[in-house]
Amino acid sequence: MSTGVTISSISDYAILGCGSVGYAVAEELVEQGKDVFIVDQDDSRVESLRDQDLDARRADIREPEITELVADRDVVLILASDVESNKRAVEHIRNGDDDQFIVARASDPVSGDELSELGADIVINPSSVIAESALRALESGELEYNAGKLADLVEETSTRLAIITQDSPDPDSIASAAALQAIADHLGVESDIIYLGDVGHQENRAFVNLLGIDLVQWDEIEDHSVYDTVALVDHGTAGEMELPVDIVIDHNESESESEPEFVDIRPNMSSTSTIMTKYIQEFDMNVSEEVATALLYGIRAETLDFKRDTTPADLTAAAYLYPFANHDTLEQVESPSMSPETLDVLAEAITNRDVQGSHLVSNAGFVRDREALTQAASHLLNLEGVTTTAVFGIADETIFLAGRSKDIRINIGKVLADAYGEIGETAGHSTQASAEIPLGIFTGIEISEDTRDTLLDLTEEAVKRTLFDAMGVEGTSNEGSNGG
């Protein structure tokens, strides 16, 4: 085919083999105003096609003469149900003309490869096409059913809906909660977005402040009984709140033993924001600029700007949100100022870094802002030769650890689970994870002002040894300290 010509601009087509598939294609092309020439070896079928004013000719597509019959056609679709006949036709046509665009029908991946090797430009497998279409229809039907069930549960709320995020919510959790709150408002139900811990990361604080998302701290609520419906978004459990959970929406499997009435967990999507965008679309709502911006940022944050574990669903959700989002606000969220506490933690982590091969572990000491550990781990990942980082610190008689990795051979979530899963709480996935370990497990020493330095030394040794072992690093000699 000549350079610059597109399929949509072509008007001359030949269809070889006009069974059910070929006939369906012929009907669509004629509807589009294309000139279609049909070849089939069945006399009665050819006569029937002619009766419908279609240009049809009887011939055997396995014979070399087929080349001359379709010589003036730019595109040849070889769609017989007999794959061996299709192979012969491709071979003959390709030997006669290298410029014609050939689409050929296969029956399985093996015959598809053979047709490609013979010169077919595109190979289609009707079974695969039907399966993909069926799965798309199933997904659409399932979403419609789930949306109806979710609406019924939300509308049953007589007083107020509690939308519970992660304890220290990240952008995906906050955005997903904002989306569910918008859905509740669309259904005429009042709700609050509730968190248990704190919004410590300055990027998350900027995110909340710039978009005007109203978050409520659980301990500041005077009357918890006002919430007769409880939803968890991007969060596994509401155990500490001691509330029965009605709704769970997440992209990660939950270990909770509760059995909510509505559960939508989709590990095949990279963010809960993607799931909530699908619901926004299904409810046919006018998405606000604030919610669209939040959801788009939630997807981008969870996929590292589409560089990590991104699925087609994430991309289509982002494409839907893009026109409605405020991109100036997104830019401000992504470039927040660094707090003095974060700067201190980062400086401490740089000073105390221990590098073994491409793995870095650092002790940031006693910290007030736990989110600063996350930022320190991310910043240290930019050091030359470093592909995995873990920064830990002590606060509230607990060791908090943040891990990051860009090494495809390492799942940092699994590393932390292997290292500390039996003695503390861990969470995360292949590129980012966190752990919380009771301090006394490592030391057995009662915490006081007199024992702080001793605790720090003992903790550093124990945490590093356990973590490097889980990473598969042989030993932790002092020669590796400070990147040496």
Side-chain angles (χ1 to χ4, degrees), residues 169-231:
D170 64 9
D172 187 31
S173 188
I174 296 168
S176 301
L180 184 55
Q181 186 172 55
I183 290 171
D185 184 62
H186 175 72
L187 297 172
V189 174
E190 294 184 345
S191 63
D192 290 323
I193 301 174
I194 301 170
Y195 67 104
L196 199 65
D198 54 62
V199 185
H201 197 304
Q202 66 255 23
E203 191 170 309
N204 296 344
R205 290 196 295 268
F207 178 64
V208 170
N209 294 335
L210 287 168
L211 292 174
I213 299 173
D214 189 14
L215 302 184
V216 182
Q217 221 284 341
W218 176 251
D219 292 336
E220 296 176 1
I221 301 171
E222 293 182 3
D223 183 8
H224 297 151
S225 65
V226 298
Y227 301 110
D228 57 330
T229 305
V230 176

Side-chain angles (χ1 to χ4, degrees), residues 126-160:
S127 298
S128 298
V129 173
I130 292 170
E132 290 173 7
S133 178
L135 288 172
R136 284 195 299 271
L138 178 63
E139 182 180 345
S140 176
E142 184 181 21
L143 180 61
E144 182 180 355
Y145 172 79
N146 282 347
K149 189 175 179 182
L150 176 62
D152 289 342
L153 264 175
V154 171
E155 288 176 329
E156 286 176 6
T157 303
S158 58
T159 52
R160 207 164 184 84

